[in-house]
Amino acid sequence: MNNPPLATVFMISYNQQDYIIEALESIIHQKVNFSYHIILSDDCSTDNTQKVVDQFLENHPKKDLITFIKQKKNLGWMPNFIFTLEKCVQTGGKYIAMCEGDDFWVNENKLQKQIDLLEENPDAVLACHQYKELYNDGNLVECPYFRKDFFNGNHSFKFNQKDFEEFMRIQTMTIVFRTSSLDLSLQKKYQYYCDTHIKHHILDHGLGIYTKDFDAVYRIHGNNVFMSLDQRKKTKFSYDVYKDLINNNDSEGYKNLLNSAMRDRITNELRNHKRNIFNSYYRSIIWEQFTNTKSIPQFLKYIAKGIFN
């Protein structure tokens, strides 16, 4: 771009015809005192997502805000994620904000507020906030994945990479970060590279700021790439991500989350698959949990549960 925007908004979509316009409108109606641009990459949707976006943009007065990329073949969630981030970097913008095609922002001042925060805090590379989850039945649930005392009576708190490893979960649609802190070449060192790795390494370069705002919504529905996985695949993927960061980056702080993910895997096998101690897969995962934790009481507990399940 001849005149780089101050901020570029990352968006990806796949089979989100029912949600993509709400997501786009929540971004193009932001009230800001700077220029920004949206990069939307659709991963060769098989529904009407591309048609819906084309019709929306055709005569829209703000259509020039958006670069709409239609992949000719399905790349897969993470390759399209990385592709879109690379396109955002190429705009030359100082900041990148994120919102996937089925999520949406609920405050027209969200982008302005977060970039103001980063401009005022040169030691911070990432701004994020609380969010709500929206379910198919219309239920809206607050999701505070942190300890309440971190706010200490304030509207925000700063956190470092160690904090992120130990207790933070940051949803993508809440994030704005400095483009200079993004290094996608690091994917080469990992087997299960995903958005968790990206957030982790952004914090190689500075602090994060977490605010009390509920300025975005994460939609829970059957077509989410991650949420649509069966429970066994979801719990294993989370485990593999944390194991990847521990093994390939010496990020020992993820051990608590690793063990929590394995407990979820074991519980899933007991409850949903009716596994017991005579099943080889069940024995393999409780043994793996033991090698991670070296906890004999926990190991014996899972043996007992496997016997009486």
Side-chain angles (χ1 to χ4, degrees), residues 211-256:
T211 67
K212 280 187 175 180
D213 303 301
F214 285 98
D215 286 349
V217 171
Y218 178 61
R219 197 188 299 270
I220 305 293
H221 60 89
N223 291 329
N224 297 75
V225 175
F226 183 69
M227 296 304 294
S228 63
L229 298 175
D230 67 41
Q231 192 64 25
R232 177 182 282 179
K233 289 180 179 178
K234 281 191 289 190
T235 54
K236 185 178 187 303
F237 181 75
S238 296
Y239 176 86
D240 288 338
V241 166
Y242 300 133
K243 191 79 170 178
D244 202 18
L245 281 156
I246 292 169
N247 288 347
N248 295 309
N249 198 57
D250 297 322
S251 300
E252 296 295 318
Y254 288 106
K255 279 192 171 181
N256 287 335

Side-chain angles (χ1 to χ4, degrees), residues 153-165:
N154 299 314
H155 181 71
S156 66
F157 64 86
K158 290 184 178 180
F159 62 93
N160 58 28
Q161 192 178 74
K162 184 174 182 293
D163 297 325
F164 177 67
E165 291 177 13

